[in-house]
Amino acid sequence: MRILLTGTSGQLGRSLAKALQDLGEVLTPQRAELDLSDVDSIAHYVQLCKPDLIINPAAYTAVDLAEKESELAFLVNAEAPTILAQEAKKLGIGLIHFSTDYVFDGSKSDANGERVAYTEEDACAPLNVYGASKLAGEQAIVNSGCAHLIFRTSWVYSDFGKNFLLTILRLAKEKTELNIVNDQWGTPSSTLFLSDAVKQVVLQLQSTEAHAVAKETWWQQHQGIYHLTPTGTTNWCEFSQRIVEHAEQLDLLSAPLPKIQGIPSSAYPTPAQRPKNSCLDKSKFNQKFGIQLPSWGQVLLSCLQGMASVKLQDPAN
Ligand SMILES: NC(=O)c1ccc[n+]([C@@H]2O[C@H](COP(=O)([O-])OP(=O)(O)OC[C@H]3O[C@@H](n4cnc5c(N)ncnc54)[C@H](OP(=O)(O)O)[C@@H]3O)[C@@H](O)[C@H]2O)c1
């Protein structure tokens, strides 16, 4: 299987490249070869590659800057996926794409005002430009009629790149006190967790060949939008407390540790508004693919254990 994988200089793309390397030939163009903001060049590039599957974790992910750079955000997050989907349709291949909890406005609650997790059927109403651009990308893929899987995930982190986990580990060494938002709820997702789940899905797709099930049938049975994060929910403040706690146990941080205090979002204004409730219901993914999801706490611990073992081998890290 020839897989065209975008965005491999990013957090998720990098993990996917590692996870999928044994499943076939993985083509990993860098931005110089495939610039997704140069939409006229995308179709030509895909036709040259002749992939059997396209996986698109690349995205414009600067949520606050997107408020000012909406044209670029829409080019990369909506126009580029539109063309990838059209090309997938022409080639008769599938497209795996990633989207976000930010397609929702975070207001979903029950009659008692308790947070309720969003299902794939809930109405989208993004609060910011980034969310709107990602939603437009999703809609274009669905409308293109290509075989597709769209995984909406949230709060992505890894041992690499720009993310909340690495920011907290750095700040914990620099500061004695951290004030972290505690009224936005969701589920942190490591790229290791996400790429492992995607690998299992691609393996299921590949096994259709062994069982003589037509790939088209598999896509017809599985295509759609799925919520994909670990289980459980937390808020940014609790997430940072857990990061610091585990990091100390694993010798990634040493005492004195900073005091971590919760603050409301209103005390930490940002250019882009964020949803208060980012909790996603994952039962559709679980039922359709039969894959059990670990808790966000287990996933965090595995990520930090991986970082600790790298540090043990090379203390300069
Ligand atoms: N990060 C989160 O918290 C989060 C939450 C929910 C959903 N998601 C979604 O998950 C996916 C992966 O996110 P991530 O955190 O791994 O993103 P990331 O680390 O910011 O990586 C983004 C990737 O996209 C590439 N890219 C951006 N603009 C490009 C362009 N014009 N042409 C070619 N490549 C371009 C980047 O390349 P360069 O290195 O060249 O810039 C980079 O490789 C995205 O679809 C994102 O929307 C992320």
Side-chain angles (χ1 to χ4, degrees):
M1 177 178 263
R2 211 168 139 81
I3 302 172
L4 171 56
L5 175 63
T6 66
T8 51
S9 58
Q11 304 187 77
L12 179 56
R14 182 167 143 137
S15 284
L16 282 167
K18 266 192 210 156
L20 302 175
Q21 63 188 350
D22 300 332
L23 302 193
E25 184 187 0
V26 184
L27 308 170
T28 58
Q30 299 305 296
R31 195 193 278 239
E33 282 168 275
L34 176 62
D35 183 344
L36 295 171
S37 64
D38 180 6
V39 288
D40 294 335
S41 67
I42 300 173
H44 179 65
Y45 187 85
V46 175
Q47 286 157 19
L48 272 182
C49 286
K50 294 191 181 57
D52 303 304
L53 175 68
I54 302 174
I55 305 184
N56 183 42
Y60 178 105
T61 55
V63 176
D64 288 318
L65 198 56
E67 297 297 306
K68 276 200 207 146
E69 295 188 343
S70 68
E71 202 177 321
L72 181 57
F74 270 84
L75 266 183
V76 178
N77 293 347
E79 296 293 319
T82 307
I83 296 167
L84 290 175
Q86 287 165 351
E87 292 310 305
K89 169 98 178 144
K90 279 188 215 157
L91 290 169
I93 61 170
L95 169 64
I96 298 181
H97 180 73
F98 297 88
S99 190
T100 169
D101 51 316
Y102 284 9
V103 296
F104 297 116
D105 66 8
S107 64
K108 190 175 178 186
S109 59
D110 65 15
N112 301 319
E114 295 293 319
R115 274 184 314 281
V116 176
Y118 283 93
T119 70
E120 291 80 355
E121 280 68 47
D122 283 320
C124 295
L127 296 174
N128 55 47
V129 168
Y130 166 76
S133 69
K134 293 295 291 183
L135 177 60
E138 286 186 5
Q139 289 168 339
I141 292 170
V142 172
N143 293 336
S144 74
C146 80
H148 63 273
L149 294 171
I150 298 173
F151 295 124
R152 283 188 192 141
T153 188
S154 63
W155 300 19
V156 176
Y157 66 90
S158 76
D159 61 353
F160 163 82
K162 261 178 92 174
N163 60 65
F164 186 80
L165 170 96
L166 294 183
T167 302
I168 292 298
L169 289 177
R170 175 175 54 79
L171 291 177
K173 290 178 188 159
E174 294 171 2
K175 310 247 182 204
T176 53
E177 203 173 290
L178 299 179
N179 295 325
I180 312 283
V181 167
N182 65 1
D183 60 356
Q184 289 171 23
W185 292 81
T187 310
S189 307
S190 81
T191 61
L192 215 58
F193 155 79
L194 289 168
S195 51
D196 183 55
V198 172
K199 181 180 179 177
Q200 291 186 59
V201 169
V202 175
L203 278 169
Q204 290 187 16
L205 166 65
Q206 287 185 332
S207 76
T208 57
E209 281 167 353
H211 295 97
V213 177
K215 277 215 171 69
E216 293 72 32
T217 311
W218 187 91
W219 280 106
Q220 277 161 14
Q221 288 169 347
H222 292 84
Q223 76 170 12
I225 297 178
Y226 294 88
H227 291 171
L228 177 59
T229 74
T231 62
T233 56
T234 185
N235 62 59
W236 292 110
C237 180
E238 191 190 17
F239 181 32
S240 50
Q241 284 162 339
R242 197 73 77 85
I243 292 170
V244 168
E245 217 174 275
H246 286 320
E248 188 196 21
Q249 289 156 0
L250 292 163
D251 280 338
L252 288 165
L253 288 176
S254 48
L257 297 175
K259 184 172 167 216
I260 300 180
Q261 299 184 132
I263 54 165
S265 307
S266 55
Y268 187 73
T270 50
Q273 209 187 328
R274 268 94 169 147
K276 290 271 172 73
N277 174 10
S278 274
C279 305
L280 302 177
D281 182 320
K282 276 82 63 176
S283 30
K284 182 179 171 192
F285 177 86
N286 183 241
Q287 283 158 16
K288 214 50 176 187
F289 296 102
I291 297 172
Q292 289 299 324
L293 300 171
S295 72
W296 72 265
Q298 283 171 285
V299 168
L300 172 63
L301 185 58
S302 312
C303 178
L304 289 167
Q305 282 169 335
M307 291 170 73
S309 80
V310 169
K311 193 180 171 201
L312 260 186
Q313 286 157 30
D314 180 4
N317 256 296

